[in-house]
Amino acid sequence: MPISTPAPATAATAFEVDDFVLYRDPAQFWRGEPGHTIVCRVTNVVRYSSGGCRYNLLPVTGGLIREVQGDYMRLLPPADAMRDIDTAPLNGDAAADGVTAAAAAWLTQQAATTNRRPELPPH
């Protein structure tokens, strides 16, 4: 019988307060329950004298998750959250296809103000 090799471990990541992370509740996951993976913001880093640390998380849906091991978290880089805005076209109707209306309006305003001289408000 062949022996399966374990999946390679990911490098330990140190998370900071205000980082957005994807958290997977291991107990819910292994029981097959829904809702085991959620987006959270790190609210506190609990450091132990032994050198280890745990994290307190605030799910984007509310609540608080205390003392989470970093092994069950993955960093959500800002570039991923902002990719649609960074790559959106700045002119025409195509701007509204890839981003929300508010983001498209902001991008259009930025493009308009950067392409002309600033004006003083009327007296």
Side-chain angles (χ1 to χ4, degrees):
M1 175 188 285
I3 299 173
S4 64
T5 57
T10 59
T13 302
F15 302 97
E16 301 295 328
V17 171
D18 288 334
D19 280 349
F20 279 90
V21 297
L22 197 60
Y23 166 66
R24 175 166 286 164
D25 182 310
Q28 281 184 292
F29 175 78
W30 289 116
R31 288 191 304 255
E33 296 175 1
H36 52 69
T37 305
I38 54 176
V39 174
C40 299
R41 185 174 56 85
V42 176
T43 60
N44 189 27
V45 180
V46 181
R47 300 188 193 285
Y48 295 105
S49 58
S50 63
C53 67
R54 300 272 177 126
Y55 303 91
N56 291 342
L57 306 177
L58 181 66
V60 295
T61 55
L64 182 65
I65 303 170
R66 296 181 187 275
E67 306 234 352
V68 170
Q69 293 177 357
D71 294 336
Y72 296 102
M73 298 164 42
R74 296 294 181 265
L75 184 63
L76 293 174
D80 290 347
M82 302 304 289
R83 184 171 289 120
D84 61 337
I85 290 176
D86 293 340
T87 60
L90 296 178
N91 55 0
D93 291 334
D97 293 341
V99 295
T100 65
W106 183 86
L107 286 168
T108 302
Q109 179 184 16
Q110 295 306 306
T113 58
T114 57
N115 293 332
R116 63 183 168 89
R117 294 178 61 188
E119 297 175 8
L120 294 173
H123 294 254

